[in-house]
Amino acid sequence: MVCSTSRLEMLLLPVWASVLLGLLSGFLPAVGMEPMGGAKSGSDHAPKTEPLPSSPASNCSDLTVKLEFSTKVVEHEYIIAFTGYFSAKARSLYIRSALRNAADASLEWHIVPRENPASHFPSDFELVHIRQASPGSLLTLEDHPYIKRVTPQRKVFRMLKYTASPEPAAPGNATRSWQSSRPFRRTSLSLGTSFWHATGRQSSRRLLRAIPRHVAQILQADVLWQMGHTGSGVKVAVFDTGLSEKHPHFKNVKERTNWTNEKTLDDGLGHGTFVAGVIASMRECQGFAPDSELHIFRVFTNNQVSYTSWFLDAFNYAILKKIDVLNLSIGGPDFMDHPFVDKVWELTANRVIMVSAIGNDGPLYGTLNNPADQMDVIGVGGIDFEDNIARFSSRGMTTWELPGGYGRVKPDIVTYGSGVRGSGMKEGCRSLSGTSVASPVVAGAVTLLASTVQNRQLVNPASMKQALIASARRLPGVNMFEQGHGKLDLIRAYQVLNSYKPQASLSPSYIDLTESPYMWPYCSQPIYYGGMPTIVNVTILNGMGVTGRIVDKPIWQPYLPHNGDHIDVAVSYSPVLWPWAGYLAVSISVAKKAASWEGVAQGHVMVTVASPAENESESGGELTSTVKLPIKVKIVPTPPRSKRVLWDQYHNLRYPPGYFPRDNLRMKNDPLDWNGDHIHTNFRDMYQHLRSMGYFVEVLGAPITCFDASQYGESTEAPPLGPPRDGAEGAALTEVALPAVSPAGTLLMVDSEEEYFPEEITKLKRDIDNGLSLIVFSDWYNTSVMRKVKFYDENTRQWWMPDTGGANVPALNDLISVWGMAFSDGLYEGDFTLADHDMYYASGCSIARFPEDGIVIAKNLKDQGLEVLKQETAVVEGVPILGLYQTPSDGGGRIALYGDSNCIDDSHRQKDCFWMLDALLQYTSYSMTPPSLSHSHSRVTPPTGAERPLPQRLEGNHLYRYSKVLEAHLGDPKPRPLPACPHLSWAKPQPLNETAPRYA
């Protein structure tokens, strides 16, 4: 049977596009995707409509609906952003003046009319149609002093497909359970001629799916209602799918505005009505603030389409209408979409409290969506009614600062997002789940809280967030990247807000590397002398004003009775706090005198923030606030080199901004590598496993030239006695004579997309000669396949190529060629058995060249490259996939190569190979070759590389645009000059001979 779309629980749509061509959509059944008529902007080559497949289920409750989404660059249309707000006449004159100087005097262009409620107000952007615009003409536009940026106009749409419901609905609730946009199990795909062809660019923003209870009463909103607070006087905006004019649940709809090209203000999908009901319904499924002033912004069509320009106009209008609270149940991975992010900053700078869903891409870490991951936005995650973090809720950390730094704590707060009741599209109630449900729960609570404050000038995006996080209730057994500061507590937030005095605060408010599990991953590993500094990114919230500054420098004050002098602290910080926020980047290292010491050390960093006073009568015209950041760490003696693993983060790239394809080509609905490739995001399980095996994992966020290899290289350690911790199986892997070589630490390179500086290649050769060991997990790189998996944009008639393959194999080959090693451009997939373990090779390459005295393991695998390119199936016998090599220099290290990283990557891992990683580390650390590998029937003669040429870089690739290593040089990218290594300026301690205060 087929369910009516009005009854479907929808994962709601993408909102604005990214800098890349979009997620796959061409091979999935679509719902309601007929071309739009009467469009005022954009071409309307909508994808072909296919009927919904019949469901084998007997009723709709057995189904869940999954979103597939895409975006298009609209042909010939450009958003021209100005440096300020200008009238339509002035904007036209500036564009005309700029294009008059263009080299192409015959350039055809016109301003696209935008008929919406903001049309008659000054604006800071214009939508222009330029036929056959050349790069030169666009640059000419940007040269105009009043033009800030020129970006393509984008059209965004979604489609729905049926999938089997992964988990049953809760008993008694007629709801369908959530399913991630990311599959967690292997699925078979037909690799036809449309393989990875798409109709648009990678979507960056989508409305996050919105699944019974009266949530307002559960959070005790009725306590505030009884006190006479019902949201009166607060303007709340809902950016969604609209609302019908005479819906019985709402009594104070101040304004309904339509920003789409459809001639209706009504909600044809039901999501906007649900969200508005959670915030402000006055009956049945009652909302938090029934007397609030509701402003409905219809920014999506019934065909689930939006344009970037619609949102920019609507945001401008929200500023003009002096909106107080704005709910945005949308999100996506692109935190570098400048027009959108800039406008969000402008909104919050104008005191608009923005509440946004953190994303439905959990339980994978590193999946936070923008704009909820911005520091000036309240990012909301979801829990169920038993206070468990919802599986769908996206997890931290933020990936803004990678690779050199570390992410920040998000979400800010969590609340109910599973099985929540809200208003139906015409009447009655319905139940939905998702972080797009949790977001309006917080938006409604914020609206209600704002109405309780007598002096409304005290309410701003920072003070409201401060009240929410200070009052949140910590969930037991849950870390900070899952729950943020905890569960929303409405009554406690009311108490905090109504005794609030403008001040600065920190998120998190303290650093405790001993508090587990809340401070995971920091609490999972002690620090020691000689290790990479531990970096904690702390957000400064400034409730005193939209802008501020740090007075002087932060001060480090160790507590002498608590061994604070055993640690060194360096602090970098944002010179300006805007809007409402800034950062402290705290680096912590162990002092040399504690190299053999074990214990706990404590101190605090003190920082003073100043903001211009809104009331000029204030003393000095400034408000100041001093805050302390307590620091507590566990120190252990420096571990043996053989137990130290250095993770190369510097050479991992991720979306945004470039098109870096996912390593597993079977995952066609999730083609972008965007989770940061960090040991605490999509390699979290691997990290946890290494810690359980006693390894200490450090992160290198700088070039290879910037670490001291003597910390990991030659030493005189004895190998461990007895088998490793995983018992008999591990003993079988390592039951060999003790080696007569020096144990060593290991540099671990996984899924590297970046190039290498020539100096790095030279340095690594020297380090390995001196005892450092190396493990490389590679991935596919085949230029023919890369051309095949390019994205086609129907509107611009352009192909968008990947900037690299699953990994940058040509760069890796440059790195390892000195040892006579290389990976091939082959692309293989299949199941096999290795050392009695079931394994799955997912879009990996093979070893093309290896030293003749090395160990090489080969397996029979399917030629996935042939399948992708010619839709033919073939099995290749004896594909070399694993190589082990002892370098010949005296005291030299060991090298291990494996052609696929998916078995240690959480993103789409089918079968883990942690056991193999253990075996490889035993080999690289102690030269203990597992007998199951050295005596394996799969061992083959090492390949010489004569069979086929090694992979070459894709001609015309644009990796240099995003690379830290390459720069453009007359059309032929060359390495940049090697950057200076990061230099930490350690703070001069100001010791305190006093006991540390309690902070939690």
Side-chain angles (χ1 to χ4, degrees):
M1 64 173 290
V2 177
C3 297
S4 164
T5 56
S6 65
R7 297 174 56 203
L8 296 177
E9 294 169 19
M10 292 180 261
L11 211 154
L12 283 171
L13 96 154
V15 175
W16 52 286
S18 72
V19 292
L20 292 182
L21 279 177
L23 269 179
L24 319 170
S25 57
F27 41 77
L28 292 170
V31 178
M33 293 305 300
E34 299 175 359
M36 298 187 301
K40 294 182 178 62
S41 66
S43 302
D44 294 307
H45 303 287
K48 295 179 181 178
T49 302
E50 299 179 20
L52 274 171
S54 296
S55 167
S58 60
N59 59 67
C60 295
S61 64
D62 294 327
L63 301 174
T64 188
V65 178
K66 184 170 126 180
L67 170 75
E68 301 299 337
F69 53 93
S70 178
T71 73
K72 295 180 180 181
V73 174
V74 179
E75 187 177 18
H76 308 315
E77 289 191 4
Y78 299 88
I79 293 173
I80 300 178
F82 294 91
T83 57
Y85 283 80
F86 302 100
S87 67
K89 181 178 180 180
R91 299 195 304 267
S92 175
L93 287 173
Y94 297 152
I95 295 170
R96 190 178 305 278
S97 172
L99 290 177
R100 190 179 297 126
N101 299 323
D104 184 2
S106 62
L107 199 66
E108 296 181 26
W109 67 276
H110 67 268
I111 293 175
V112 179
R114 308 198 312 273
E115 296 180 13
N116 57 52
S119 301
H120 304 297
F121 294 98
S123 178
D124 62 342
F125 80 97
E126 194 61 88
L127 184 61
V128 177
H129 184 281
I130 307 177
R131 181 166 293 278
Q132 298 178 341
S134 65
S137 60
L138 298 181
L139 288 173
T140 301
L141 274 169
E142 290 188 337
D143 284 341
H144 192 280
Y146 290 150
I147 294 177
K148 178 168 63 175
R149 187 181 294 115
V150 179
T151 55
Q153 160 81 322
R154 306 182 196 279
K155 173 183 177 180
V156 195
F157 60 87
R158 62 175 176 174
M159 62 181 65
L160 303 171
K161 67 171 290 188
Y162 282 106
T163 60
S165 185
E167 45 185 87
N173 291 346
T175 62
R176 288 170 291 283
S177 57
W178 169 90
Q179 178 158 331
S180 171
S181 61
R182 176 177 289 105
F184 289 95
R185 58 187 179 279
R186 188 173 165 194
T187 57
S188 61
L189 295 175
S190 173
L191 303 186
T193 56
S194 63
F195 185 76
W196 275 35
H197 288 198
T199 56
R201 302 191 75 177
Q202 156 65 17
S203 172
S204 176
R205 298 284 183 264
R206 61 195 185 282
L207 273 171
L208 296 168
R209 166 148 111 150
I211 9 189
R213 301 175 67 171
H214 295 302
V215 68
Q217 287 91 334
I218 292 172
L219 288 169
Q220 297 182 285
D222 50 341
V223 173
L224 298 183
W225 297 340
Q226 291 165 11
M227 297 168 61
H229 305 299
T230 53
S232 178
V234 180
K235 298 179 180 180
V236 56
V238 176
F239 275 56
D240 221 289
T241 57
L243 180 69
S244 62
E245 182 178 6
K246 296 182 180 179
H247 197 290
H249 288 185
F250 305 96
K251 64 179 178 181
N252 195 15
V253 179
K254 185 69 173 179
E255 186 178 27
R256 296 184 307 147
T257 53
N258 177 34
W259 304 87
T260 74
N261 53 23
E262 293 181 338
K263 302 300 184 180
T264 181
L265 292 163
D266 291 345
D267 182 3
L269 297 174
H271 191 269
T273 305
F274 182 93
V275 168
V278 171
I279 295 171
S281 172
M282 67 175 181
R283 59 168 59 98
E284 294 184 271
C285 34
Q286 191 159 5
F288 285 83
D291 289 323
S292 60
E293 190 177 290
L294 202 55
H295 293 251
I296 302 299
F297 288 70
R298 187 176 188 268
V299 290
F300 302 110
T301 69
N302 288 333
N303 284 339
Q304 306 157 52
V305 174
S306 187
Y307 287 87
T308 301
S309 60
W310 295 355
F311 264 81
L312 299 183
D313 269 331
F315 282 149
N316 282 342
Y317 191 71
I319 295 172
L320 288 168
K321 301 299 285 189
K322 299 188 182 302
I323 293 298
D324 298 307
V325 181
L326 192 155
N327 183 77
L328 208 58
S329 288
I330 68 169
D334 187 357
F335 50 75
M336 296 184 68
D337 191 333
H338 296 295
F340 191 93
V341 171
D342 286 355
K343 190 55 66 177
V344 169
W345 283 342
E346 186 179 350
L347 276 162
T348 59
N350 280 275
R351 306 182 76 90
V352 179
I353 301 171
M354 182 175 287
V355 183
S356 187
I358 205 69
N360 288 350
D361 292 296
L364 189 65
Y365 280 66
T367 52
L368 299 173
N369 283 211
N370 186 271
D373 65 346
Q374 290 182 207
M375 297 305 110
D376 54 323
V377 174
I378 298 172
V380 185
I383 60 174
D384 61 24
F385 285 105
E386 286 69 48
D387 287 355
N388 301 308
I389 299 294
R391 178 178 173 83
F392 56 74
S393 189
S394 289
R395 272 70 165 170
M397 59 186 172
T398 65
T399 56
W400 290 60
E401 290 86 1
L402 296 180
Y406 195 81
R408 307 193 209 184
V409 175
K410 279 277 184 167
D412 294 301
I413 198 168
V414 293
T415 193
Y416 301 120
S418 294
V420 172
R421 289 177 64 78
S423 299
M425 186 162 64
K426 297 298 183 183
E427 59 184 0
C429 301
R430 62 187 301 205
S431 297
L432 295 178
S433 287
T435 55
S436 68
V437 172
S439 180
V441 170
V442 171
V446 165
T447 303
L448 179 58
L449 287 169
S451 72
T452 70
V453 181
Q454 188 171 2
N455 182 2
R456 295 287 174 87
Q457 281 300 110
L458 292 176
V459 179
N460 59 55
S463 64
M464 184 59 74
K465 183 186 285 192
Q466 287 173 326
L468 292 177
I469 66 179
S471 60
R473 291 194 178 272
R474 184 81 58 82
L475 299 177
V478 180
N479 73 54
M480 60 185 180
F481 289 146
E482 294 179 315
Q483 66 168 308
H485 294 268
K487 173 187 172 183
L488 170 67
D489 188 320
L490 182 62
I491 302 305
R492 288 178 66 180
Y494 162 75
Q495 293 166 347
V496 171
L497 197 60
N498 277 271
S499 60
Y500 179 80
K501 292 186 172 121
Q503 60 190 275
S505 65
L506 304 174
S507 171
S509 59
Y510 63 91
I511 298 170
D512 187 347
L513 276 58
T514 71
E515 183 186 6
S516 186
Y518 181 71
M519 279 280 171
W520 187 92
Y522 296 111
C523 62
S524 64
Q525 180 170 299
I527 62 175
Y528 45 85
Y529 175 70
M532 289 288 166
T534 295
I535 302 173
V536 186
N537 252 325
V538 177
T539 298
I540 307 171
L541 296 171
N542 178 22
M544 298 180 293
V546 64
T547 186
R549 63 184 178 87
I550 291 179
V551 179
D552 298 325
K553 292 181 179 179
I555 299 171
W556 162 236
Q557 295 185 300
Y559 298 123
L560 294 182
H562 298 277
N563 309 298
D565 56 339
H566 285 48
I567 55 177
D568 295 323
V569 171
V571 182
S572 59
Y573 54 92
S574 46
V576 175
L577 279 58
W578 186 91
W580 309 103
Y583 71 85
L584 288 177
V586 182
S587 298
I588 307 169
S589 285
V590 176
K592 185 174 182 178
K593 68 179 182 180
S596 302
W597 182 79
E598 181 170 356
V600 173
Q602 292 181 253
H604 70 241
V605 171
M606 190 161 60
V607 61
T608 299
V609 175
S611 278
E614 293 185 4
N615 184 350
E616 292 299 330
S617 64
E618 297 279 354
S619 175
E622 276 193 331
L623 298 176
T624 61
S625 177
T626 298
V627 288
K628 292 180 181 179
L629 178 70
I631 296 175
K632 183 178 182 181
V633 301
K634 173 69 182 297
I635 297 173
V636 296
T638 303
R641 291 175 172 85
S642 56
K643 303 305 290 184
R644 294 174 66 176
V645 176
L646 185 61
W647 173 272
D648 176 21
Q649 186 69 34
Y650 187 78
H651 296 93
N652 287 331
L653 301 175
R654 87 294 183 215
Y655 172 87
Y659 172 14
F660 308 111
R662 178 66 72 190
D663 307 321
N664 186 347
L665 288 174
R666 293 263 172 211
M667 299 300 125
K668 293 167 69 173
N669 68 330
D670 188 21
L672 286 180
D673 202 343
W674 66 278
N675 303 121
D677 281 348
H678 193 282
I679 55 171
H680 298 148
T681 56
N682 53 305
F683 290 97
R684 175 180 182 267
D685 289 351
M686 180 210 71
Y687 168 76
Q688 295 283 74
H689 176 81
L690 290 177
R691 287 295 300 130
S692 72
M693 297 300 294
Y695 290 100
F696 294 82
V697 185
E698 303 170 33
V699 179
L700 177 63
I704 293 172
T705 52
C706 294
F707 78 95
D708 179 6
S710 67
Q711 294 281 341
Y712 311 88
E714 183 178 357
S715 71
T716 57
E717 303 158 17
L721 299 176
R725 297 187 186 182
D726 53 354
E729 179 183 276
L733 288 172
T734 58
E735 191 177 331
V736 292
L738 298 182
V741 295
S742 298
T746 301
L747 175 63
L748 184 55
M749 291 183 168
V750 178
D751 187 25
S752 304
E753 295 91 2
E754 180 63 280
E755 294 283 335
Y756 297 88
F757 291 103
E759 296 89 342
E760 290 184 289
I761 298 173
T762 302
K763 163 86 159 35
L764 185 62
K765 168 65 167 62
R766 184 170 64 248
D767 291 343
I768 291 179
D769 285 346
N770 290 330
L772 179 71
S773 287
L774 173 68
I775 296 177
V776 177
F777 281 80
S778 184
D779 270 298
W780 67 274
Y781 189 103
N782 181 288
T783 55
S784 297
V785 172
M786 290 165 68
R787 293 187 181 96
K788 189 72 172 179
V789 302
K790 60 191 174 183
F791 291 136
Y792 180 66
D793 178 7
E794 287 183 338
N795 292 320
T796 60
R797 305 297 195 269
Q798 291 180 358
W799 290 100
W800 295 78
M801 301 293 297
D803 298 303
T804 182
N808 191 340
V809 170
L812 284 172
N813 285 347
D814 289 346
L815 192 71
I816 60 179
S817 62
V818 67
W819 296 285
M821 301 177 183
F823 290 105
S824 77
D825 66 353
L827 178 56
Y828 303 98
E829 182 228 6
D831 295 286
F832 60 92
T833 301
L834 183 61
D836 296 326
H837 291 267
D838 291 334
M839 300 279 284
Y840 174 60
Y841 212 67
S843 305
C845 66
S846 65
I847 296 174
R849 182 184 299 162
F850 209 73
E852 61 180 9
D853 54 341
I855 297 172
V856 173
I857 302 298
K859 290 293 178 179
N860 298 340
L861 297 170
K862 288 187 289 186
D863 188 335
Q864 193 178 31
L866 183 67
E867 192 177 1
V868 170
L869 296 172
K870 297 184 178 180
Q871 295 77 57
E872 298 176 4
T873 302
V875 174
V876 181
E877 296 186 355
V879 178
I881 59 173
L882 175 64
L884 308 177
Y885 179 63
Q886 168 68 62
T887 58
S889 60
D890 185 24
R894 273 75 63 192
I895 301 174
L897 305 182
Y898 190 67
D900 178 37
S901 71
N902 282 278
C903 61
I904 57 173
D905 186 340
D906 301 347
S907 299
H908 297 298
R909 188 178 63 242
Q910 311 300 322
K911 299 170 184 175
D912 76 64
C913 62
F914 298 153
W915 70 271
M916 185 180 72
L917 180 59
D918 293 342
L920 296 182
L921 284 168
Q922 285 289 306
Y923 175 74
T924 58
S925 297
Y926 304 108
S927 194
M928 288 181 168
T929 308
S932 54
L933 299 182
S934 60
H935 301 130
S936 171
H937 295 301
S938 302
R939 183 170 175 177
V940 297
T941 302
T944 62
E947 294 82 3
R948 58 193 294 178
L950 298 180
Q952 301 298 309
R953 291 169 177 82
L954 179 66
E955 186 176 351
N957 77 79
H958 295 145
L959 184 62
Y960 66 90
R961 294 179 179 173
Y962 321 109
S963 171
K964 303 178 292 294
V965 176
L966 298 178
E967 64 180 354
H969 182 74
L970 299 177
D972 183 19
K974 301 288 185 184
R976 302 172 186 269
L978 181 70
C981 295
H983 175 71
L984 292 175
S985 179
W986 301 106
K988 184 178 180 180
Q990 297 182 13
L992 298 175
N993 192 17
E994 59 186 58
T995 303
R998 291 181 57 85
Y999 53 84

